[in-house]
mmCIF file with all atom_site columns, all heavy atoms in Angstrom:
data_model
loop_
_atom_site.group_PDB
_atom_site.id
_atom_site.type_symbol
_atom_site.label_atom_id
_atom_site.label_alt_id
_atom_site.label_comp_id
_atom_site.label_asym_id
_atom_site.label_entity_id
_atom_site.label_seq_id
_atom_site.pdbx_PDB_ins_code
_atom_site.Cartn_x
_atom_site.Cartn_y
_atom_site.Cartn_z
_atom_site.occupancy
_atom_site.B_iso_or_equiv
_atom_site.pdbx_formal_charge
_atom_site.auth_seq_id
_atom_site.auth_comp_id
_atom_site.auth_asym_id
_atom_site.auth_atom_id
_atom_site.pdbx_PDB_model_num
ATOM 1   N N   . VAL A 1 30 ? -10.777 6.976  0.017   1.00 98.00 ? 1120 VAL A N   1
ATOM 2   C CA  . VAL A 1 30 ? -11.591 6.843  -1.171  1.00 98.00 ? 1120 VAL A CA  1
ATOM 3   C C   . VAL A 1 30 ? -10.837 5.971  -2.180  1.00 98.00 ? 1120 VAL A C   1
ATOM 4   O O   . VAL A 1 30 ? -9.550  5.987  -2.293  1.00 98.00 ? 1120 VAL A O   1
ATOM 5   C CB  . VAL A 1 30 ? -11.836 8.243  -1.848  1.00 98.00 ? 1120 VAL A CB  1
ATOM 6   C CG1 . VAL A 1 30 ? -10.562 8.973  -2.256  1.00 98.00 ? 1120 VAL A CG1 1
ATOM 7   C CG2 . VAL A 1 30 ? -12.911 8.188  -2.891  1.00 98.00 ? 1120 VAL A CG2 1
ATOM 8   N N   . ARG A 1 31 ? -11.608 5.121  -2.898  1.00 98.00 ? 1121 ARG A N   1
ATOM 9   C CA  . ARG A 1 31 ? -11.001 4.191  -3.829  1.00 98.00 ? 1121 ARG A CA  1
ATOM 10  C C   . ARG A 1 31 ? -10.300 4.982  -4.942  1.00 98.00 ? 1121 ARG A C   1
ATOM 11  O O   . ARG A 1 31 ? -10.968 5.874  -5.553  1.00 98.00 ? 1121 ARG A O   1
ATOM 12  C CB  . ARG A 1 31 ? -12.115 3.330  -4.388  1.00 98.00 ? 1121 ARG A CB  1
ATOM 13  C CG  . ARG A 1 31 ? -11.562 2.150  -5.214  1.00 98.00 ? 1121 ARG A CG  1
ATOM 14  C CD  . ARG A 1 31 ? -12.737 1.464  -5.965  1.00 98.00 ? 1121 ARG A CD  1
ATOM 15  N NE  . ARG A 1 31 ? -13.728 0.781  -5.125  1.00 98.00 ? 1121 ARG A NE  1
ATOM 16  C CZ  . ARG A 1 31 ? -13.596 -0.466 -4.650  1.00 98.00 ? 1121 ARG A CZ  1
ATOM 17  N NH1 . ARG A 1 31 ? -12.562 -1.145 -4.911  1.00 98.00 ? 1121 ARG A NH1 1
ATOM 18  N NH2 . ARG A 1 31 ? -14.539 -0.993 -3.957  1.00 98.00 ? 1121 ARG A NH2 1
ATOM 19  N N   . ASP A 1 32 ? -9.072  4.608  -5.287  1.00 96.00 ? 1122 ASP A N   1
ATOM 20  C CA  . ASP A 1 32 ? -8.384  5.254  -6.392  1.00 96.00 ? 1122 ASP A CA  1
ATOM 21  C C   . ASP A 1 32 ? -9.043  4.943  -7.752  1.00 96.00 ? 1122 ASP A C   1
ATOM 22  O O   . ASP A 1 32 ? -9.286  3.742  -8.020  1.00 96.00 ? 1122 ASP A O   1
ATOM 23  C CB  . ASP A 1 32 ? -6.904  4.794  -6.438  1.00 96.00 ? 1122 ASP A CB  1
ATOM 24  C CG  . ASP A 1 32 ? -6.179  5.311  -7.543  1.00 96.00 ? 1122 ASP A CG  1
ATOM 25  O OD1 . ASP A 1 32 ? -6.219  6.556  -7.812  1.00 96.00 ? 1122 ASP A OD1 1
ATOM 26  O OD2 . ASP A 1 32 ? -5.572  4.521  -8.325  1.00 96.00 ? 1122 ASP A OD2 1
ATOM 27  N N   . LYS A 1 33 ? -9.309  5.957  -8.494  1.00 94.00 ? 1123 LYS A N   1
ATOM 28  C CA  . LYS A 1 33 ? -10.080 5.738  -9.762  1.00 94.00 ? 1123 LYS A CA  1
ATOM 29  C C   . LYS A 1 33 ? -9.193  4.913  -10.711 1.00 94.00 ? 1123 LYS A C   1
ATOM 30  O O   . LYS A 1 33 ? -9.713  4.321  -11.661 1.00 94.00 ? 1123 LYS A O   1
ATOM 31  C CB  . LYS A 1 33 ? -10.414 7.060  -10.354 1.00 94.00 ? 1123 LYS A CB  1
ATOM 32  C CG  . LYS A 1 33 ? -11.657 7.729  -9.718  1.00 94.00 ? 1123 LYS A CG  1
ATOM 33  C CD  . LYS A 1 33 ? -12.422 8.641  -10.716 1.00 94.00 ? 1123 LYS A CD  1
ATOM 34  C CE  . LYS A 1 33 ? -13.832 8.874  -10.226 1.00 94.00 ? 1123 LYS A CE  1
ATOM 35  N NZ  . LYS A 1 33 ? -13.942 10.039 -9.326  1.00 94.00 ? 1123 LYS A NZ  1
ATOM 36  N N   . GLY A 1 34 ? -7.880  4.966  -10.536 1.00 93.00 ? 1124 GLY A N   1
ATOM 37  C CA  . GLY A 1 34 ? -7.002  4.233  -11.425 1.00 93.00 ? 1124 GLY A CA  1
ATOM 38  C C   . GLY A 1 34 ? -6.765  2.772  -10.985 1.00 93.00 ? 1124 GLY A C   1
ATOM 39  O O   . GLY A 1 34 ? -6.025  2.068  -11.626 1.00 93.00 ? 1124 GLY A O   1
ATOM 40  N N   . GLY A 1 35 ? -7.451  2.332  -9.915  1.00 95.00 ? 1125 GLY A N   1
ATOM 41  C CA  . GLY A 1 35 ? -7.380  0.966  -9.460  1.00 95.00 ? 1125 GLY A CA  1
ATOM 42  C C   . GLY A 1 35 ? -6.101  0.540  -8.787  1.00 95.00 ? 1125 GLY A C   1
ATOM 43  O O   . GLY A 1 35 ? -5.795  -0.624 -8.629  1.00 95.00 ? 1125 GLY A O   1
ATOM 44  N N   . ARG A 1 36 ? -5.360  1.585  -8.327  1.00 95.00 ? 1126 ARG A N   1
ATOM 45  C CA  . ARG A 1 36 ? -4.083  1.295  -7.662  1.00 95.00 ? 1126 ARG A CA  1
ATOM 46  C C   . ARG A 1 36 ? -4.225  1.022  -6.176  1.00 95.00 ? 1126 ARG A C   1
ATOM 47  O O   . ARG A 1 36 ? -3.197  0.669  -5.511  1.00 95.00 ? 1126 ARG A O   1
ATOM 48  C CB  . ARG A 1 36 ? -3.113  2.455  -7.933  1.00 95.00 ? 1126 ARG A CB  1
ATOM 49  C CG  . ARG A 1 36 ? -2.778  2.639  -9.392  1.00 95.00 ? 1126 ARG A CG  1
ATOM 50  C CD  . ARG A 1 36 ? -1.978  3.920  -9.595  1.00 95.00 ? 1126 ARG A CD  1
ATOM 51  N NE  . ARG A 1 36 ? -2.741  5.092  -9.343  1.00 95.00 ? 1126 ARG A NE  1
ATOM 52  C CZ  . ARG A 1 36 ? -2.283  6.328  -9.199  1.00 95.00 ? 1126 ARG A CZ  1
ATOM 53  N NH1 . ARG A 1 36 ? -0.966  6.556  -9.382  1.00 95.00 ? 1126 ARG A NH1 1
ATOM 54  N NH2 . ARG A 1 36 ? -3.025  7.365  -8.979  1.00 95.00 ? 1126 ARG A NH2 1
ATOM 55  N N   . GLY A 1 37 ? -5.297  1.364  -5.546  1.00 96.00 ? 1127 GLY A N   1
ATOM 56  C CA  . GLY A 1 37 ? -5.462  1.147  -4.112  1.00 96.00 ? 1127 GLY A CA  1
ATOM 57  C C   . GLY A 1 37 ? -6.405  2.208  -3.578  1.00 96.00 ? 1127 GLY A C   1
ATOM 58  O O   . GLY A 1 37 ? -7.465  2.444  -4.194  1.00 96.00 ? 1127 GLY A O   1
ATOM 59  N N   . VAL A 1 38 ? -6.022  2.900  -2.434  1.00 97.00 ? 1128 VAL A N   1
ATOM 60  C CA  . VAL A 1 38 ? -6.905  3.730  -1.774  1.00 97.00 ? 1128 VAL A CA  1
ATOM 61  C C   . VAL A 1 38 ? -6.147  4.973  -1.442  1.00 97.00 ? 1128 VAL A C   1
ATOM 62  O O   . VAL A 1 38 ? -5.027  4.931  -0.924  1.00 97.00 ? 1128 VAL A O   1
ATOM 63  C CB  . VAL A 1 38 ? -7.530  3.017  -0.542  1.00 97.00 ? 1128 VAL A CB  1
ATOM 64  C CG1 . VAL A 1 38 ? -6.469  2.508  0.426   1.00 97.00 ? 1128 VAL A CG1 1
ATOM 65  C CG2 . VAL A 1 38 ? -8.501  3.884  0.187   1.00 97.00 ? 1128 VAL A CG2 1
ATOM 66  N N   . TRP A 1 39 ? -6.838  6.117  -1.561  1.00 98.00 ? 1129 TRP A N   1
ATOM 67  C CA  . TRP A 1 39 ? -6.300  7.425  -1.109  1.00 98.00 ? 1129 TRP A CA  1
ATOM 68  C C   . TRP A 1 39 ? -6.776  7.640  0.313   1.00 98.00 ? 1129 TRP A C   1
ATOM 69  O O   . TRP A 1 39 ? -8.017  7.502  0.545   1.00 98.00 ? 1129 TRP A O   1
ATOM 70  C CB  . TRP A 1 39 ? -6.737  8.609  -1.950  1.00 98.00 ? 1129 TRP A CB  1
ATOM 71  C CG  . TRP A 1 39 ? -6.015  8.630  -3.269  1.00 98.00 ? 1129 TRP A CG  1
ATOM 72  C CD1 . TRP A 1 39 ? -6.437  8.098  -4.442  1.00 98.00 ? 1129 TRP A CD1 1
ATOM 73  C CD2 . TRP A 1 39 ? -4.749  9.265  -3.523  1.00 98.00 ? 1129 TRP A CD2 1
ATOM 74  N NE1 . TRP A 1 39 ? -5.551  8.393  -5.468  1.00 98.00 ? 1129 TRP A NE1 1
ATOM 75  C CE2 . TRP A 1 39 ? -4.480  9.037  -4.934  1.00 98.00 ? 1129 TRP A CE2 1
ATOM 76  C CE3 . TRP A 1 39 ? -3.784  9.908  -2.736  1.00 98.00 ? 1129 TRP A CE3 1
ATOM 77  C CZ2 . TRP A 1 39 ? -3.269  9.507  -5.485  1.00 98.00 ? 1129 TRP A CZ2 1
ATOM 78  C CZ3 . TRP A 1 39 ? -2.667  10.347 -3.330  1.00 98.00 ? 1129 TRP A CZ3 1
ATOM 79  C CH2 . TRP A 1 39 ? -2.385  10.172 -4.687  1.00 98.00 ? 1129 TRP A CH2 1
ATOM 80  N N   . MET A 1 40 ? -5.842  7.972  1.249   1.00 97.00 ? 1130 MET A N   1
ATOM 81  C CA  . MET A 1 40 ? -6.234  8.104  2.677   1.00 97.00 ? 1130 MET A CA  1
ATOM 82  C C   . MET A 1 40 ? -5.705  9.355  3.261   1.00 97.00 ? 1130 MET A C   1
ATOM 83  O O   . MET A 1 40 ? -4.620  9.897  2.842   1.00 97.00 ? 1130 MET A O   1
ATOM 84  C CB  . MET A 1 40 ? -5.558  6.946  3.465   1.00 97.00 ? 1130 MET A CB  1
ATOM 85  C CG  . MET A 1 40 ? -6.083  5.577  3.278   1.00 97.00 ? 1130 MET A CG  1
ATOM 86  S SD  . MET A 1 40 ? -5.190  4.451  4.419   1.00 97.00 ? 1130 MET A SD  1
ATOM 87  C CE  . MET A 1 40 ? -5.673  5.089  6.008   1.00 97.00 ? 1130 MET A CE  1
ATOM 88  N N   . LYS A 1 41 ? -6.323  9.805  4.332   1.00 96.00 ? 1131 LYS A N   1
ATOM 89  C CA  . LYS A 1 41 ? -5.737  10.783 5.233   1.00 96.00 ? 1131 LYS A CA  1
ATOM 90  C C   . LYS A 1 41 ? -4.414  10.145 5.763   1.00 96.00 ? 1131 LYS A C   1
ATOM 91  O O   . LYS A 1 41 ? -4.370  8.906  5.917   1.00 96.00 ? 1131 LYS A O   1
ATOM 92  C CB  . LYS A 1 41 ? -6.684  11.001 6.341   1.00 96.00 ? 1131 LYS A CB  1
ATOM 93  C CG  . LYS A 1 41 ? -6.075  11.756 7.617   1.00 96.00 ? 1131 LYS A CG  1
ATOM 94  C CD  . LYS A 1 41 ? -7.063  11.822 8.723   1.00 96.00 ? 1131 LYS A CD  1
ATOM 95  C CE  . LYS A 1 41 ? -6.408  12.352 9.986   1.00 96.00 ? 1131 LYS A CE  1
ATOM 96  N NZ  . LYS A 1 41 ? -5.440  11.407 10.631  1.00 96.00 ? 1131 LYS A NZ  1
ATOM 97  N N   . SER A 1 42 ? -3.412  10.979 6.054   1.00 96.00 ? 1132 SER A N   1
ATOM 98  C CA  . SER A 1 42 ? -2.146  10.383 6.567   1.00 96.00 ? 1132 SER A CA  1
ATOM 99  C C   . SER A 1 42 ? -2.150  10.487 8.094   1.00 96.00 ? 1132 SER A C   1
ATOM 100 O O   . SER A 1 42 ? -3.007  11.198 8.653   1.00 96.00 ? 1132 SER A O   1
ATOM 101 C CB  . SER A 1 42 ? -0.981  11.148 5.981   1.00 96.00 ? 1132 SER A CB  1
ATOM 102 O OG  . SER A 1 42 ? -1.050  12.497 6.208   1.00 96.00 ? 1132 SER A OG  1
ATOM 103 N N   . SER A 1 43 ? -1.279  9.755  8.726   1.00 96.00 ? 1133 SER A N   1
ATOM 104 C CA  . SER A 1 43 ? -1.193  9.759  10.182  1.00 96.00 ? 1133 SER A CA  1
ATOM 105 C C   . SER A 1 43 ? -0.387  11.002 10.744  1.00 96.00 ? 1133 SER A C   1
ATOM 106 O O   . SER A 1 43 ? 0.332   11.631 10.010  1.00 96.00 ? 1133 SER A O   1
ATOM 107 C CB  . SER A 1 43 ? -0.591  8.448  10.670  1.00 96.00 ? 1133 SER A CB  1
ATOM 108 O OG  . SER A 1 43 ? 0.754   8.421  10.390  1.00 96.00 ? 1133 SER A OG  1
ATOM 109 N N   . GLY A 1 44 ? -0.565  11.170 12.021  1.00 95.00 ? 1134 GLY A N   1
ATOM 110 C CA  . GLY A 1 44 ? 0.222   12.248 12.671  1.00 95.00 ? 1134 GLY A CA  1
ATOM 111 C C   . GLY A 1 44 ? -0.421  13.601 12.674  1.00 95.00 ? 1134 GLY A C   1
ATOM 112 O O   . GLY A 1 44 ? 0.075   14.543 13.263  1.00 95.00 ? 1134 GLY A O   1
ATOM 113 N N   . PHE A 1 45 ? -1.557  13.744 11.968  1.00 94.00 ? 1135 PHE A N   1
ATOM 114 C CA  . PHE A 1 45 ? -2.309  15.014 11.873  1.00 94.00 ? 1135 PHE A CA  1
ATOM 115 C C   . PHE A 1 45 ? -3.728  14.741 12.174  1.00 94.00 ? 1135 PHE A C   1
ATOM 116 O O   . PHE A 1 45 ? -4.246  13.698 11.960  1.00 94.00 ? 1135 PHE A O   1
ATOM 117 C CB  . PHE A 1 45 ? -2.127  15.604 10.479  1.00 94.00 ? 1135 PHE A CB  1
ATOM 118 C CG  . PHE A 1 45 ? -0.695  15.971 10.189  1.00 94.00 ? 1135 PHE A CG  1
ATOM 119 C CD1 . PHE A 1 45 ? 0.134   15.108 9.530   1.00 94.00 ? 1135 PHE A CD1 1
ATOM 120 C CD2 . PHE A 1 45 ? -0.238  17.312 10.491  1.00 94.00 ? 1135 PHE A CD2 1
ATOM 121 C CE1 . PHE A 1 45 ? 1.468   15.446 9.277   1.00 94.00 ? 1135 PHE A CE1 1
ATOM 122 C CE2 . PHE A 1 45 ? 1.084   17.652 10.206  1.00 94.00 ? 1135 PHE A CE2 1
ATOM 123 C CZ  . PHE A 1 45 ? 1.941   16.699 9.570   1.00 94.00 ? 1135 PHE A CZ  1
ATOM 124 N N   . GLY A 1 46 ? -4.452  15.855 12.540  1.00 93.00 ? 1136 GLY A N   1
ATOM 125 C CA  . GLY A 1 46 ? -5.874  15.817 12.679  1.00 93.00 ? 1136 GLY A CA  1
ATOM 126 C C   . GLY A 1 46 ? -6.527  15.870 11.339  1.00 93.00 ? 1136 GLY A C   1
ATOM 127 O O   . GLY A 1 46 ? -5.921  16.216 10.343  1.00 93.00 ? 1136 GLY A O   1
ATOM 128 N N   . PHE A 1 47 ? -7.810  15.522 11.273  1.00 93.00 ? 1137 PHE A N   1
ATOM 129 C CA  . PHE A 1 47 ? -8.574  15.513 10.017  1.00 93.00 ? 1137 PHE A CA  1
ATOM 130 C C   . PHE A 1 47 ? -8.453  16.869 9.341   1.00 93.00 ? 1137 PHE A C   1
ATOM 131 O O   . PHE A 1 47 ? -8.193  16.946 8.164   1.00 93.00 ? 1137 PHE A O   1
ATOM 132 C CB  . PHE A 1 47 ? -10.088 15.287 10.323  1.00 93.00 ? 1137 PHE A CB  1
ATOM 133 C CG  . PHE A 1 47 ? -10.442 13.845 10.294  1.00 93.00 ? 1137 PHE A CG  1
ATOM 134 C CD1 . PHE A 1 47 ? -10.833 13.217 11.520  1.00 93.00 ? 1137 PHE A CD1 1
ATOM 135 C CD2 . PHE A 1 47 ? -10.450 13.000 9.150   1.00 93.00 ? 1137 PHE A CD2 1
ATOM 136 C CE1 . PHE A 1 47 ? -11.227 11.857 11.519  1.00 93.00 ? 1137 PHE A CE1 1
ATOM 137 C CE2 . PHE A 1 47 ? -10.850 11.705 9.129   1.00 93.00 ? 1137 PHE A CE2 1
ATOM 138 C CZ  . PHE A 1 47 ? -11.269 11.092 10.346  1.00 93.00 ? 1137 PHE A CZ  1
ATOM 139 N N   . GLU A 1 48 ? -8.642  17.933 10.111  1.00 91.00 ? 1138 GLU A N   1
ATOM 140 C CA  . GLU A 1 48 ? -8.784  19.221 9.542   1.00 91.00 ? 1138 GLU A CA  1
ATOM 141 C C   . GLU A 1 48 ? -7.369  19.838 9.112   1.00 91.00 ? 1138 GLU A C   1
ATOM 142 O O   . GLU A 1 48 ? -7.297  20.937 8.571   1.00 91.00 ? 1138 GLU A O   1
ATOM 143 C CB  . GLU A 1 48 ? -9.467  20.256 10.487  1.00 91.00 ? 1138 GLU A CB  1
ATOM 144 C CG  . GLU A 1 48 ? -8.649  20.618 11.704  1.00 91.00 ? 1138 GLU A CG  1
ATOM 145 C CD  . GLU A 1 48 ? -8.735  19.614 12.817  1.00 91.00 ? 1138 GLU A CD  1
ATOM 146 O OE1 . GLU A 1 48 ? -9.155  18.452 12.557  1.00 91.00 ? 1138 GLU A OE1 1
ATOM 147 O OE2 . GLU A 1 48 ? -8.235  19.923 13.981  1.00 91.00 ? 1138 GLU A OE2 1
ATOM 148 N N   . GLU A 1 49 ? -6.295  19.081 9.455   1.00 93.00 ? 1139 GLU A N   1
ATOM 149 C CA  . GLU A 1 49 ? -4.959  19.549 9.086   1.00 93.00 ? 1139 GLU A CA  1
ATOM 150 C C   . GLU A 1 49 ? -4.441  19.030 7.779   1.00 93.00 ? 1139 GLU A C   1
ATOM 151 O O   . GLU A 1 49 ? -3.359  19.288 7.384   1.00 93.00 ? 1139 GLU A O   1
ATOM 152 C CB  . GLU A 1 49 ? -3.957  19.134 10.251  1.00 93.00 ? 1139 GLU A CB  1
ATOM 153 C CG  . GLU A 1 49 ? -4.217  19.845 11.502  1.00 93.00 ? 1139 GLU A CG  1
ATOM 154 C CD  . GLU A 1 49 ? -3.196  19.473 12.595  1.00 93.00 ? 1139 GLU A CD  1
ATOM 155 O OE1 . GLU A 1 49 ? -3.073  18.299 12.906  1.00 93.00 ? 1139 GLU A OE1 1
ATOM 156 O OE2 . GLU A 1 49 ? -2.526  20.372 13.091  1.00 93.00 ? 1139 GLU A OE2 1
#
Side-chain angles (χ1 to χ4, degrees):
V1120 64
R1121 190 192 294 277
D1122 175 51
K1123 282 208 163 85
R1126 296 172 294 172
V1128 59
W1129 285 97
M1130 289 181 63
K1131 165 187 173 289
S1132 57
S1133 69
F1135 295 91
F1137 273 112
E1138 71 281 11
E1139 295 181 303

